[in-house]
Amino acid sequence: MVVDGERLKTLVKGAQQQVLLCAPFIKVGALRMVLSSVDEGVQVRIVTRWRAAEVASGVSDLEVFELANERMNTELALLDDLHAKLYLADDEGLAGSANLTAAALGWAEKSNVELLLRVVRSDDEVARLLRRLKRAEPATYAIRSEIEAAAIALSAAKLDEGQDISDDMEILQNSAWLPRCAAPGRICAIYEDSQTTSVVEGTREDGLADIRDLHIPDGLSPTEFAEAVRDTLLLMPAFKHIIDRIPQGLTDSAGTTLVTEIRPDLNQSNAALQWRIVRDWISVFFQRDFEVAPDSFVTRLRSR
């Protein structure tokens, strides 16, 4: 089977004039692999985002700055609220869920389950995104240095020593963070209208707190919102730990035990409730990959 990374290399190899590589997370190794297939005379525009917390956690590499500068006809731009993944070679392209990383593109031993679909530049949604990408600002050495310094500081920070750290890293380093909203299927409605009456007040407040914790930017469409939540949940250590256990099959009992290990402050009843909330979030935001068996309630890989 041809992995998405090879499909992407084939796409950009055919470019005659320009290539666009747009993804919030870019690793320098994967970028080097893709650029190796682009003709030297082709203009390349790379659009990504740099957040100190994400650099500190290893999901993005600042070294893409040097790689872009080394190549002629290459521009690197930054857009802080970027969540879209789009790859264009002249008028042909791929769009979907895959970031520009080895794990997302199928080049890693343990690769993600991703989706990239064929698109063309003239598609309405593609054209709309390209207009929004015009807001991206050129990456500079000063910005790179600032983000690097912040990432180093965040990596060294210790929550239990009471040091001042940014909200982003506080969430990422709080390995016990789990969602609190018991109605994840309604959280997009809460995101779109913080005063919505479609849910009870307590659920609305929990949903708003989760949205703040996950740092979801304003103005996303429902599809973009779901992708942003999914991407960010995979950065949360406790949630990712649970996701990694699903291929073995998770009963409600096993899930509750996992939650108890993560949150020893919870009694058995509250741990069971927290597990059900996590299970529901998985059902909503990871429904392409996982399912909850209707009879046994075992959370498992989705049947193909």
Side-chain angles (χ1 to χ4, degrees), residues 183-237:
R186 301 297 302 156
I187 201 167
C188 186
I190 297 170
Y191 167 78
E192 292 175 330
D193 178 9
S194 62
Q195 301 302 317
T196 182
T197 58
S198 64
V199 295
V200 298
E201 183 178 356
T203 299
R204 184 176 68 244
E205 294 305 313
D206 284 345
L208 290 172
D210 286 333
I211 291 167
R212 286 194 301 271
D213 284 351
L214 294 172
H215 295 272
I216 306 301
D218 296 334
L220 301 181
S221 70
T223 299
E224 291 169 335
F225 173 79
E227 287 295 329
V229 171
R230 181 182 186 276
D231 288 347
T232 310
L233 286 172
L234 291 175
L235 294 176
M236 313 307 270

Side-chain angles (χ1 to χ4, degrees), residues 11-294:
L11 174 75
V12 301
K13 187 174 183 179
Q16 300 296 312
Q17 296 180 324
Q18 56 186 331
V19 163
L20 170 68
L21 304 173
C22 169
F25 302 155
I26 299 180
K27 299 288 284 182
V28 68
L31 178 60
R32 184 178 287 110
M33 289 275 287
V34 173
L35 289 179
S36 69
S37 295
V38 182
D39 188 87
E40 290 184 358
V42 171
Q43 295 278 344
V44 176
R45 186 173 192 235
I46 305 165
V47 183
T48 190
R49 78 183 189 209
W50 283 345
R51 295 179 181 174
E54 293 169 350
V55 173
S57 67
V59 297
S60 287
D61 290 339
L62 293 177
E63 291 79 6
V64 300
F65 179 81
E66 285 77 16
L67 186 58
N69 281 347
E70 289 169 4
R71 186 187 185 279
M72 297 287 291
N73 305 315
T74 302
E75 171 195 0
L76 176 64
L78 304 174
L79 187 62
D80 188 62
D81 58 354
L82 179 67
H83 283 274
K85 295 89 173 175
L86 174 67
Y87 309 102
L88 288 177
D90 297 331
D91 294 328
E92 302 294 322
L94 295 168
S97 65
N99 281 291
L100 217 170
T101 67
L105 293 174
W107 287 328
E109 183 177 352
K110 292 184 178 180
S111 296
N112 301 341
V113 178
E114 304 283 2
L115 178 69
L116 284 177
L117 298 177
R118 286 279 181 181
V119 296
V120 295
R121 181 180 292 268
S122 59
D123 287 342
D124 289 344
E125 292 301 310
V126 173
R128 182 174 69 87
L129 174 59
L130 292 176
R131 289 193 293 270
R132 297 183 68 179
L133 293 183
K134 291 180 180 179
R135 296 189 288 112
E137 298 182 353
T140 65
Y141 181 75
I143 295 174
R144 186 207 187 285
S145 298
E146 178 182 349
I147 296 294
E148 182 177 37
I152 291 172
L154 292 174
S155 295
K158 301 294 184 182
L159 284 174
D160 56 2
E161 294 178 3
Q163 294 171 288
D164 291 332
I165 58 177
S166 73
D167 289 342
D168 278 351
M169 201 57 191
E170 182 175 356
I171 295 303
L172 282 175
Q173 288 205 342
N174 181 1
S175 60
W177 185 93
L178 291 170
R180 67 200 78 179
C181 180
R186 301 297 302 156
I187 201 167
C188 186
I190 297 170
Y191 167 78
E192 292 175 330
D193 178 9
S194 62
Q195 301 302 317
T196 182
T197 58
S198 64
V199 295
V200 298
E201 183 178 356
T203 299
R204 184 176 68 244
E205 294 305 313
D206 284 345
L208 290 172
D210 286 333
I211 291 167
R212 286 194 301 271
D213 284 351
L214 294 172
H215 295 272
I216 306 301
D218 296 334
L220 301 181
S221 70
T223 299
E224 291 169 335
F225 173 79
E227 287 295 329
V229 171
R230 181 182 186 276
D231 288 347
T232 310
L233 286 172
L234 291 175
L235 294 176
M236 313 307 270
F239 202 96
K240 180 65 163 55
H241 177 64
I242 292 173
I243 287 289
D244 289 343
R245 289 287 303 275
I246 293 178
Q248 305 169 30
L250 275 179
T251 63
D252 281 350
S253 176
T256 300
T257 299
L258 267 181
V259 169
T260 302
E261 293 172 355
I262 293 166
R263 293 282 307 278
D265 57 304
L266 298 178
N267 61 34
Q268 185 71 13
S269 176
N270 287 337
L273 175 59
Q274 178 65 81
W275 161 247
R276 289 194 294 273
I277 291 173
V278 170
R279 186 188 68 191
D280 289 346
W281 277 66
I282 292 169
S283 295
V284 170
F285 294 107
F286 294 84
Q287 57 184 284
R288 294 194 303 256
D289 307 319
F290 308 119
E291 63 184 1
V292 178

